[in-house]
Amino acid sequence: MAEENILIEQTDTAEQQVRSAETIAYPRSESVDEVLADSKSVTLVIPTYNERDNVEPIIDRCLTALSEHAVEIVIVDDDSPDETWRIAREAYTNDDRVRVIRRTEESGLGTAVLRGFSEASYEFCAVIDADLQHPPEKLPELLDAFEEGTDVVIGSRHIDGGGIEGWSRFRRVVSAGATSAARLGVPEARGISDPMSGFFAVRQDILAEAELNPKGYKILLEVLAKCDPDGVAEVPYVFTERERGESNLTHDEYVKFAEHVAMLGMSSRELERFVEPERATRALEFGAVGGIGVVVNTLVFMAGRGIGSHYLLAATAAFVAAVHWNFLGNWLITFDQPENGLLGKYLRFNLVSVAGFLIYTGLLAVAIQGLGTPDLIANLAAIGGSSLWNFLGAEKFAFLPNT
Ligand code: GDD
Ligand code: MN
């Protein structure tokens, strides 16, 4: 092991990761004390980037907390300029429970955690931040919560006994928003109080079976979406303030997070149910009707401007005209149910369209003012988001409420 400590590790391919997970060796199981013999064995992954003042305290506290367990700690450091990796190596050269991986080819919290997982040789894998914001003393509780059939145990800030110290209202709102987005995009996260947690443990064998390939840094979401865990338990903890060093996660992490959630949402098993052939046809027809609707909108808008109307008036007339065209087209073509309840469908479709318009402007505001997205991309994204809403709303609310 000491030799591995001085290797500069290369990037693993997914295939290599799977392979290394298949050849689990449980290297220490024969030599561990009797105390450890029937306790759970754990590989603890600690990602680090510029944590020189925290790395020894976190390792010491984790080792103490897990003294009743067979444990290996894998530090995954991305070649920190403050030489966190060197400090860790020097302090623990003689302790074969601690391994330090210094990555030079790859970086990012998500891939760091996965790298740690791929090195795991014990029955359970846990992840904890290096900056002491997650309490190591909770680790035994996390492990104890694994019963027959439990595959994942999450340290949660949002159940009784959990909490967050010293966050501004802004950060809480952002966090709550991100949690909602995660639930929206990843159905498997829906029943979970803290799907954004960076403090969790998972049965190693379910990791080995899935191919995790995260964008962004929320590995737990990845695990929930891809590993098909049977039981998920949550254990409360209090997220404390960082005492030393600086947080590494900057604002563009929020954007990466959104992409990650969208990707997980798209690859989710729910998608199969979503894209039945009949529905795909409806979506195409809906798109075609909407495309002509855009032309109708433009014609009316230009005509209104041509006769000297205020642009807001012209836009309102154009919107109303387009909604009516869309209603007709969808009523007769897309949903093809002309028989009964015309008035109800008409009124509900109007509601959906108005809500769609609010969603469109809301998304534009968030993208342009909130995230500084360029106009063109912001507009396309807002059209995409509101069109999706319009389609689902037209289907579930206006035309086919009973399906
Ligand atoms: N190897 C590696 N590479 N480690 C990293 C990187 C990276 O690019 N970026 C951050 N880390 C390490 C840090 O050193 C720390 O141990 C841990 O990952 C969390 O990073 P922080 O910068 O402290 O993140 P945070 O406090 O904003 O976010 C944490 O809180 C979130 C809850 O709001 C993380 O734990 C998230 O996972 C958690 O969801
Ligand atoms: Mn932190």
Side-chain angles (χ1 to χ4, degrees):
M1 288 240 174
E3 252 175 46
E4 274 185 79
N5 282 350
I6 18 178
L7 275 180
I8 294 182
E9 306 280 342
Q10 302 295 320
T11 313
D12 269 1
T13 61
E15 196 194 330
Q16 281 170 322
Q17 292 192 7
V18 171
R19 212 183 308 132
S20 75
E22 277 170 2
T23 53
I24 311 166
Y26 297 94
R28 289 165 46 84
S29 58
E30 281 151 11
S31 60
V32 288
D33 308 337
E34 260 173 41
V35 202
L36 308 182
D38 43 44
S39 69
K40 288 165 180 142
S41 64
V42 59
T43 301
L44 180 60
V45 177
I46 312 184
T48 57
Y49 191 76
N50 286 346
E51 302 284 5
R52 63 174 304 135
D53 297 326
N54 294 320
V55 69
E56 286 185 73
I58 186 74
I59 294 174
D60 288 343
R61 276 174 62 182
C62 289
L63 287 175
T64 307
L66 292 169
S67 59
E68 311 256 294
H69 295 263
V71 60
E72 66 179 354
I73 291 185
V74 182
I75 301 284
V76 186
D77 185 89
D78 289 349
D79 205 13
S80 295
D82 76 354
E83 304 204 321
T84 304
W85 45 274
R86 185 191 301 282
I87 292 164
R89 273 181 193 163
E90 286 175 2
Y92 300 92
T93 23
N94 298 322
D95 191 334
D96 68 359
R97 292 171 301 178
V98 180
R99 307 168 53 188
V100 180
I101 295 170
R102 174 188 176 194
R103 299 196 306 170
T104 54
E105 304 280 310
E106 215 179 357
S107 64
L109 179 49
T111 58
V113 172
L114 287 193
R115 179 58 197 276
F117 284 167
S118 78
E119 302 281 325
S121 47
Y122 281 149
E123 191 183 358
F124 296 92
C125 285
V127 191
I128 191 167
D129 284 358
D131 56 7
L132 305 170
Q133 292 191 278
H134 299 151
E137 293 68 31
K138 279 273 170 180
L139 284 165
E141 247 178 88
L142 245 56
L143 293 174
D144 282 348
F146 280 100
E147 290 171 356
E148 195 67 31
T150 312
D151 285 332
V152 179
V153 177
I154 301 170
S156 168
R157 299 164 287 179
H158 306 307
I159 50 177
D160 259 5
I164 298 174
E165 244 176 38
W167 270 18
S168 66
R169 178 161 302 167
F170 177 75
R171 200 161 171 199
R172 281 172 201 270
V173 169
V174 169
S175 172
T179 303
S180 307
R183 295 216 179 94
L184 206 68
V186 184
E188 292 84 356
R190 278 176 203 163
I192 288 160
S193 78
D194 198 354
M196 309 295 288
S197 182
F199 184 35
F200 63 95
V202 50
R203 219 176 263 282
Q204 200 273 347
D205 54 11
I206 75 161
L207 292 173
E209 286 156 19
E211 212 168 283
L212 302 180
N213 183 15
K215 191 159 186 142
Y217 57 105
K218 294 298 174 187
I219 295 300
L220 176 58
L221 279 182
E222 187 75 15
V223 168
L224 292 172
K226 304 259 183 78
C227 294
D228 198 13
D230 277 341
V232 179
E234 295 190 272
V235 168
Y237 82 95
V238 176
F239 189 83
T240 51
E241 286 191 70
R242 182 187 261 275
E243 283 166 25
R244 289 174 292 254
E246 277 171 23
S247 174
N248 301 295
L249 301 177
T250 52
H251 287 283
D252 68 34
E253 297 290 341
Y254 294 125
V255 176
K256 287 199 201 141
F257 165 71
E259 289 171 5
H260 184 198
V261 168
M263 260 171 42
L264 285 174
M266 294 308 286
S267 64
S268 137
R269 270 161 272 126
E270 221 178 48
L271 196 65
E272 287 162 28
R273 255 172 287 153
F274 192 82
V275 202
E276 318 150 341
E278 220 181 290
R279 201 176 202 190
T281 313
R282 282 204 296 269
L284 279 177
E285 289 172 347
F286 187 86
V289 169
I292 299 175
V294 173
V295 176
V296 171
N297 183 307
T298 309
L299 290 177
V300 174
F301 181 75
M302 294 314 285
R305 294 296 275 163
I307 59 170
S309 312
H310 187 273
Y311 77 92
L312 281 178
L313 185 64
T316 307
F319 179 72
V320 170
V323 168
H324 282 78
W325 156 258
N326 286 345
F327 175 74
L328 262 181
N330 287 319
W331 178 48
L332 297 175
I333 301 168
T334 316
F335 296 99
D336 188 22
Q337 284 195 320
E339 50 287 352
N340 48 28
L342 175 60
L343 183 64
K345 285 172 188 161
Y346 170 77
L347 292 177
R348 289 194 302 263
F349 186 79
N350 271 281
L351 277 182
V352 169
S353 302
V354 170
F357 181 73
L358 294 178
I359 289 173
Y360 167 75
T361 48
L363 288 174
L364 263 188
V366 169
I368 293 179
Q369 291 186 344
L371 300 170
T373 313
D375 286 0
L376 181 66
I377 295 173
N379 191 42
L380 289 175
I383 288 176
S386 55
S387 302
L388 183 64
W389 156 264
N390 283 338
F391 177 66
L392 294 178
E395 192 185 61
K396 291 255 180 277
F397 184 62
F399 290 104
L400 304 172
N402 301 321
T403 56

